[in-house]
Amino acid sequence: MEQIIIKTKERSEKIEFPDELGFGNIFTDHIFEMNYTKDKGWHEPTIKPLEDISMHPGTMFIHYGQAIFEGLKAYKTKDAEIVLFRPDEHFKRLNRSARRICIPEVDVDFMINALKELVNIERDWIPTGEGESLYVRPFVYGSDPFLGVNPASSYKLIILLSPVGAYYPEGFKPIKILVQDDYVRAVRKGLGECKTPANYAASLLAGEKAMEQGYTQVLWLDGVELKNIEEVGTMNIFINMKNEIVTPKLNGSILPGVTRKTVIQLLKEWDMNIVERDISIDEVVEKYDSGDLLGVFGSGTAAVISSVGWLTFKNKKMVINDGKAGELALKLFKEITSIQYGLKEDTHGWIYKVEKNEVEVS
Ligand code: COI
C-alpha cells in the first residue's frame, strides 16, 4: 500500500471542550481519506484538514444505501499515553460488513497504522475527563454517480474523529428501555449483522416513539416471530439471571459487538456462566416475576456498559434492581474502562499504543 500523504493545517485556536461533551457534537481538525476504483484499488491514502464533501446528486449511496461504518475509541491513559481499543476487531468487522453489501475490503494492518497516524496528529483532541475519549468513525460509501441498482464502481473511505463523553443523556446512570413489538430492526439473512446505515434508519421511528414515552432506547425482538430479544440498536444486551448470564446468540440479525465479545471473554475468565442462546421476552418476564432476574445491561463502544434500570414490555413495567446499576454491570464497566485508561494492565492484547511522532508535512 502507498505511503500516506499528510497535509496538515496549523491549529489557529486552542482546543476548548465544553463541560458536558455529550456524543458526536464536535469534530477534530483532520480526517483520513482514501479512494477506491476498479483499476487502482484503494489508493491515495491522505490525512488532510476536515472539509465538507462535495458530491454529485447521483452519487450511488445516497440512493441505494451502499455504505458501512465502524465506531471505536482512542483514550488518553493516566500516563498520558494514547491508546486504541481493539482496532483490529473493528476493521475486521468493517470488512465483514463490506462483504455483505459488495464493498471492497480494506487491509486491516494498513488501516490500523493509518488510524494511528491520524490520532497521533489529533492527540490534543483527546479529552481527559471521566468517561471521555476520542470516538473514531471510519465509514465507506459508494461514490460514483449512477442510478442503476448495482454495486458502485468507486468508493470513498473516511475516518472522522469526535471527542465524546457519555452516549446517553442519563450519563452513566441506568437507562429506561421499551421492548418494541410494533416494528422490527432486522431479519435473519438480512442486514442486521452488518454495520450499515439502513439498520439505524430502521430504528428511528420506534426510537422517537419510545422517547416520547420517556424511554431512552428500544429493545428489538426478532423480526419473524417477535418472540426472542435481539439487541438495542446502539448496544448488545445481557440478561443476568440466578444461574446464568444470557446474551442472544449471533443469529445473523444481531450486530456482533466488539464490547459484547470483550464482556463474554471477561465473564468466562471470571468463571461465570455466560451462555449465548435464544432468549424470549416471555422468559425475561418470567424470571422477573420469580425474582430470578438480577440485572440487565447493554454493551457497546459508544455506551460502554450501560445498566438497564427499567424495562417495559406491553403493559408489564419491570423495575430492575430498584432502578440502580447492577453489581455485575459496574464490575464490567470498571474492568473494561480500567484497561482502556491504563489503570489496569492489558493482558489480552486489546490495547494498541499510538506512538508520539513528529509529523512530516508533504
Ligand atoms: C457504537 O457503539 O460505536 C455505535 O456504533 C453505536 C451508535 C453510536 C451508532
Side-chain angles (χ1 to χ4, degrees):
M1 189 77 192
E2 298 162 62
Q3 179 92 23
I4 299 173
I5 303 160
I6 298 178
K7 300 175 188 163
T8 53
K9 69 162 192 196
E10 287 283 312
R11 197 165 285 135
S12 51
E13 283 166 27
K14 193 169 169 287
I15 298 168
E16 304 239 19
F17 296 117
D19 290 343
E20 288 286 322
L21 260 179
F23 184 89
N25 308 303
I26 307 169
F27 300 98
T28 74
D29 300 317
H30 295 87
I31 57 170
F32 171 85
E33 182 183 290
M34 70 180 180
N35 296 302
Y36 176 94
T37 52
K38 281 196 171 136
D39 51 335
K40 291 192 191 160
W42 284 111
H43 62 276
E44 261 178 72
T46 307
I47 291 173
K48 62 180 203 178
L50 174 73
E51 60 183 12
D52 289 349
I53 306 172
S54 127
M55 63 178 84
H56 190 287
T59 300
M60 290 186 80
F61 90 91
I62 306 176
H63 300 272
Y64 306 123
Q66 198 193 9
I68 50 174
F69 68 96
E70 266 305 315
L72 64 153
K73 281 177 173 171
Y75 303 83
K76 199 170 266 176
T77 69
K78 68 167 192 351
D79 303 318
E81 275 187 325
I82 310 296
V83 300
L84 303 170
F85 188 69
R86 311 197 78 175
D88 51 336
E89 289 292 334
H90 285 279
F91 284 114
K92 280 193 231 160
R93 189 174 64 181
L94 185 78
N95 277 342
R96 278 214 298 283
S97 300
R99 288 195 290 275
R100 178 62 181 84
I101 55 172
C102 305
I103 287 177
E105 292 179 44
V106 293
D107 182 301
V108 169
D109 292 334
F110 177 81
M111 288 313 305
I112 294 173
N113 279 330
L115 177 57
K116 283 182 177 172
E117 292 235 28
L118 178 64
V119 170
N120 172 54
I121 288 168
E122 300 293 65
R123 56 176 53 239
D124 293 344
W125 277 103
I126 306 182
T128 51
E130 202 179 339
E132 293 177 349
S133 58
L134 185 67
Y135 187 75
V136 176
R137 171 54 61 85
F139 61 102
V140 188
Y141 61 90
S143 57
D144 45 319
F146 179 59
L147 294 183
V149 180
N150 54 243
S153 51
S154 50
Y155 296 87
K156 196 178 271 301
L157 179 153
I158 291 177
I159 304 179
L160 182 66
L161 302 177
S162 172
V164 296
Y167 181 74
Y168 296 120
E170 288 90 336
F172 294 100
K173 293 200 213 78
I175 57 169
K176 293 191 171 117
I177 297 267
L178 179 66
V179 180
Q180 176 55 253
D181 65 348
D182 284 336
Y183 306 96
V184 296
R185 170 187 171 274
V187 290
R188 288 176 197 189
K189 303 192 184 211
L191 294 177
E193 64 181 357
C194 175
K195 207 158 172 69
T196 184
N199 290 324
Y200 298 82
S203 76
L204 296 177
L205 180 59
E208 285 298 287
K209 290 192 170 179
M211 250 152 79
E212 279 164 20
Q213 296 175 54
Y215 295 93
T216 325
Q217 286 276 323
V218 301
L219 173 59
W220 297 101
L221 298 177
D222 75 87
V224 177
E225 294 177 282
L226 296 162
K227 177 176 149 230
N228 293 327
I229 61 170
E230 296 231 312
E231 59 152 277
V232 174
T234 47
M235 315 189 283
N236 292 109
I237 194 91
F238 288 79
I239 312 293
N240 183 11
M241 300 181 295
K242 221 169 212 161
N243 298 316
E244 58 178 348
I245 304 157
V246 176
T247 191
K249 73 166 190 260
L250 300 178
N251 58 10
S253 53
I254 295 174
L255 190 84
V258 176
T259 315
R260 175 188 183 278
K261 190 171 177 175
T262 304
V263 167
I264 291 172
Q265 192 169 336
L266 287 172
L267 293 176
K268 284 185 179 161
E269 288 169 14
W270 296 344
D271 282 329
M272 301 191 83
N273 187 22
I274 167 73
V275 184
E276 294 175 71
R277 66 166 170 87
D278 288 340
I279 174 164
S280 67
I281 186 62
D282 290 343
E283 182 179 347
V284 176
V285 173
E286 263 166 43
K287 291 285 163 29
Y288 177 78
D289 286 341
S290 64
D292 288 349
L293 184 65
L294 308 178
V296 176
F297 61 89
S299 68
T301 296
V304 198
I305 300 292
S306 193
S307 281
V308 177
W310 297 267
L311 186 63
T312 298
F313 176 52
K314 298 186 192 283
N315 295 324
K316 182 80 182 176
K317 289 187 188 319
M318 296 176 269
V319 182
I320 297 154
N321 197 32
D322 291 331
K324 295 197 294 278
E327 234 174 77
L328 183 63
L330 286 173
K331 186 175 172 192
L332 283 160
F333 179 82
K334 188 152 185 265
E335 183 74 12
I336 294 171
T337 53
S338 296
I339 296 170
Q340 290 167 335
Y341 290 98
L343 300 164
K344 196 158 189 177
E345 193 195 344
D346 166 36
T347 54
H348 301 91
W350 293 340
I351 293 294
Y352 285 57
K353 278 192 193 149
V354 176
E355 301 298 340
K356 190 166 185 160
N357 277 331
E358 290 310 324
V359 174
E360 278 181 37
V361 181
S362 61

